[in-house]
Amino acid sequence: MFSQDKPLKGAAVLVTATLLAGCGSLLGEGETEDAIVIGTTSTPSTLDPAGAWDGSWELYRNIYQTLMHFPNSSGSPEPDAAQHCGFTDTVSSVYRCVLKKDLKFSGGNPLNAEAVKHSFERTLDIGADSGPAQLLQSIDRIETSGDRTIIFHLKRPDATFPLVLATPAASIVDPAVFPADRLLETSEISGSGPYRLQDYKDGEFAELVRNESYNGSAEVKNTGVTVRYFKDSAKMVEDLKKGEVDLTYRGLTPEQITDFEKNRTDYPDIKLNEVYGTEIRYLVFNPQHEEVSDPAVRKAVAQVVDRKALVRNVYKRTAAPLYSMVPGGITGHTSAFYEEYGEPDVEKARQTLAQAGIGGKVRLTLWYATDRYGAVTADEFGEIKRQLEASGLFEVTLEGREWRELQKGIAEGKYPVFGRGWFPDFPDADNYIAPFVGEENALGAPYEHKVLTGTLLPRSRKESDRGAVSDDFGRAQEILAEDARLLPLWQGKLYIAAHDDIAGVEWCIDSSTIMRLWELDRKKSW
């Protein structure tokens, strides 16, 4: 998701910078007829929740409903479309939800237990390469009782299942609109979330208006929001400065962030808001390709890459070096890659290659998205190329592709080394490990490991107290470092630039760093 960066214990907590203080008293002071305009570089890949496990979730969260949700900055899910939910057994393998009364979709059709069953089963049955079916793989079967009761029978104990139900992977869709056997191909959708999608143009905008039939936990503080999608962050910031955009979310470059921080007098009506995020960036090595099939090559790369220089030279310290796939602030985080490889050391990398009988320069091609994670991604990969080639051990070629093409190639297993970003589905260490391992995973390359996938992850999912599984996750991170099939690079901070007449910024990001547009409001006076 990207997908994509918290000092916590037990549950994820969003920490906002002190510059946000003071806005809370102005929340909910009334609504205005003109829509709030959001700018972002995170463009949806599809409107069908069964077809996307990426930044499309930003839109899904606001137009579709889920059984559970993450309230405010909490990492503990609570009922949304459901009236109540819970495990009915002692081993976390049977989960029962009862829906609220009189739920309906924006098109007027009832949202009942059969609609929920249809939504989950179609995602699993369609099994789209770019979809979230893997997140639902623990489901064995679903049964309904009457119009309001849904019972999920799981293949194995899974204490993370309530967290999954709070993600857009569990979006509930109208069976009369979304076919059971294929993805929806039009923009004529019907959801039950806080907003109704009134108009949409792929890659350009989404116009959202209040869904008057919504019955859920969100208190909608505005009458509507227009999301504008930008390919160029420079154009997005230009429109923000001109007042054509009220708020930017995802896509600010380090230079733009620094500019707003250092030149506040130049932009007196724009506030830069910083949220401690859980977004990560990492490299993926597909050992099915000959050039990275030898672990020595992957370990040599891990030994050479200088994360501190990367975040200093490219990200201007708006990110932090990351030495684990599990970021800081998530319970169970360790610095496994630092423990395994230490500081960058070219001579150790040379010895690693020599011991494996590898001489001469290793040729690598690194693939990355040109339009997914911001314009600075090209600079990031340029820095990685510079570091690897400066060691004298590698000869690197860079290949950039638009996200949809890259995503297709990843699913087909085309690339030996590629860059990805990850925005958490839910704030748990499991979500930074499980999606990337197993026979079927989000990276297009099977990653079976007897201890990791056969013991540690299944055992951790039996424990409802997530703080009690830190040892298992610690060992899992050690295995990832030893195998070096994934190479964490950095953990980001989330920056939101908004005009000072926009209230609710401090509440608009949930614990999985997805924007809740309903929290935003335009202040009547300033």
Side-chain angles (χ1 to χ4, degrees):
M1 174 191 96
F2 351 20
S3 221
Q4 143 30 30
D5 170 330
K6 302 178 183 174
L8 315 178
K9 185 174 181 180
V13 178
L14 289 175
V15 183
T16 52
T18 55
L19 52 82
L20 288 170
C23 294
S25 62
L26 294 170
L27 294 177
E29 290 187 352
E31 299 170 345
T32 176
E33 291 300 319
D34 57 323
I36 293 172
V37 181
I38 308 295
T40 181
T41 59
S42 184
T43 305
S45 53
T46 174
L47 294 179
D48 191 332
W53 192 1
D54 58 26
S56 305
W57 283 17
E58 304 285 1
L59 183 60
Y60 298 168
R61 173 68 77 204
N62 293 278
I63 59 177
Y64 299 110
Q65 203 170 8
T66 49
L67 292 170
M68 306 288 282
H69 78 112
F70 294 116
N72 293 329
S73 59
S74 172
S76 300
E78 295 182 1
D80 187 14
Q83 181 173 302
H84 55 80
C85 290
F87 284 107
T88 62
D89 61 349
T90 58
V91 293
S92 303
S93 63
V94 180
Y95 199 75
R96 177 177 178 268
C97 289
V98 177
L99 294 171
K100 292 177 179 176
K101 294 180 179 179
D102 302 322
L103 292 173
K104 61 181 179 180
F105 295 102
S106 57
N109 294 324
L111 192 167
N112 52 28
E114 284 300 323
V116 175
K117 185 172 186 286
H118 169 87
S119 301
F120 282 86
E121 289 182 342
R122 71 182 295 270
T123 296
L124 288 166
D125 292 343
I126 293 171
D129 288 339
S130 56
Q134 184 194 343
L135 266 179
L136 308 179
Q137 285 299 318
S138 63
I139 297 174
D140 181 34
R141 62 186 176 89
I142 304 170
E143 66 173 300
T144 62
S145 177
D147 287 338
R148 296 174 53 209
T149 301
I150 309 100
I151 303 169
F152 298 92
H153 296 269
L154 307 183
K155 297 174 184 175
R156 60 193 70 86
D158 187 359
T160 70
F161 189 66
L163 298 166
V164 173
L165 293 185
T167 74
S171 296
I172 305 168
V173 299
D174 188 346
V177 176
F178 290 80
D181 58 352
R182 65 186 186 280
L183 296 177
L184 189 69
E185 297 178 353
T186 75
S187 60
E188 300 297 321
I189 68 167
S190 178
S192 62
Y195 295 97
R196 176 170 54 85
L197 185 63
Q198 179 165 278
D199 197 8
Y200 180 79
K201 189 167 184 180
D202 186 24
E204 294 191 21
F205 68 86
E207 185 178 335
L208 310 181
V209 296
R210 184 196 290 260
N211 178 9
E212 298 298 340
S213 63
Y214 170 67
N215 178 10
S217 57
E219 179 187 348
V220 184
K221 297 181 172 68
N222 54 65
T223 56
V225 176
T226 297
V227 183
R228 290 180 55 195
Y229 300 111
F230 292 84
K231 291 185 178 180
D232 184 350
S233 60
K235 172 61 174 170
M236 180 177 70
V237 170
E238 178 186 338
D239 286 0
L240 174 70
K241 292 177 180 177
K242 291 192 297 185
E244 296 177 6
V245 166
D246 294 307
L247 178 151
T248 62
Y249 177 62
R250 299 210 192 279
L252 290 177
T253 67
E255 290 78 11
Q256 290 164 342
I257 293 167
T258 301
D259 183 38
F260 281 125
E261 286 179 330
K262 291 184 176 179
N263 302 298
R264 295 184 182 181
T265 56
D266 294 339
Y267 318 112
D269 63 337
I270 296 175
K271 303 294 184 184
L272 186 66
N273 310 284
E274 177 187 327
V275 177
Y276 196 87
T278 51
E279 167 193 0
I280 68 171
R281 291 287 191 278
Y282 57 99
L283 291 180
V284 180
F285 299 93
N286 186 343
Q288 293 179 330
H289 290 265
E290 184 177 358
E291 63 186 86
V292 292
S293 60
D294 194 320
V297 172
R298 308 193 300 267
K299 292 182 178 183
V301 174
Q303 189 72 71
V304 169
V305 168
D306 187 339
R307 297 167 176 83
K308 293 177 183 176
L310 180 65
V311 300
R312 180 181 66 247
N313 297 340
V314 178
Y315 288 96
K316 314 302 179 187
R317 296 185 173 86
T318 60
L322 181 62
Y323 298 92
S324 169
M325 289 300 291
V326 179
I330 295 294
T331 300
H333 161 79
T334 70
S335 294
F337 276 79
Y338 189 86
E339 298 300 323
E340 181 74 16
Y341 302 101
E343 295 290 346
D345 192 319
V346 172
E347 188 54 38
K348 285 184 179 179
R350 191 187 315 277
Q351 294 172 7
T352 298
L353 292 172
Q355 289 169 3
I358 301 173
K361 291 186 178 180
V362 177
R363 294 184 177 180
L364 293 176
T365 300
L366 308 186
W367 301 76
Y368 66 94
T370 58
D371 60 341
R372 190 65 184 171
Y373 307 116
V376 76
T377 304
D379 297 332
E380 174 181 343
F381 277 78
E383 172 66 14
I384 294 173
K385 171 183 167 74
R386 184 195 67 76
Q387 292 181 12
L388 292 177
E389 292 189 335
S391 72
L393 304 176
F394 299 94
E395 183 178 323
V396 179
T397 301
L398 300 181
E399 292 284 352
R401 294 290 185 273
E402 290 190 354
W403 169 246
R404 292 184 185 183
E405 181 181 349
L406 185 77
Q407 190 180 36
K408 185 174 184 293
I410 290 172
E412 295 172 353
K414 284 186 176 181
Y415 311 127
V417 189
F418 56 92
R420 285 293 299 265
W422 186 252
F423 304 96
D425 305 313
F426 51 84
D428 189 280
D430 182 278
N431 193 235
Y432 290 91
I433 299 175
F436 312 125
V437 300
E439 183 178 354
E440 295 182 1
N441 60 51
L443 303 176
Y447 185 0
E448 291 287 348
H449 189 288
K450 184 177 180 180
V451 176
L452 181 61
T453 58
T455 301
L456 296 176
L457 289 176
R459 186 167 66 199
S460 72
R461 288 176 173 174
K462 294 179 181 179
E463 180 56 67
S464 58
D465 179 2
R466 305 308 292 159
V469 293
S470 292
D471 288 346
D472 282 345
F473 285 126
R475 178 57 188 141
Q477 290 165 86
E478 289 176 357
I479 291 171
L480 294 179
E482 292 163 3
D483 289 350
R485 292 181 52 167
L486 302 166
L487 183 64
L489 297 172
W490 55 265
Q491 172 179 351
K493 299 174 183 177
L494 185 59
Y495 291 89
I496 299 172
H499 283 273
D500 57 15
D501 66 334
I502 301 299
V505 177
E506 70 270 48
W507 304 115
C508 71
I509 305 298
D510 72 11
S511 57
S512 56
T513 68
I514 293 179
M515 179 167 280
R516 306 181 300 176
L517 298 175
W518 59 83
E519 293 287 356
L520 300 174
D521 193 12
R522 197 180 299 277
K523 303 168 188 173
K524 283 190 173 182
S525 62
W526 180 250

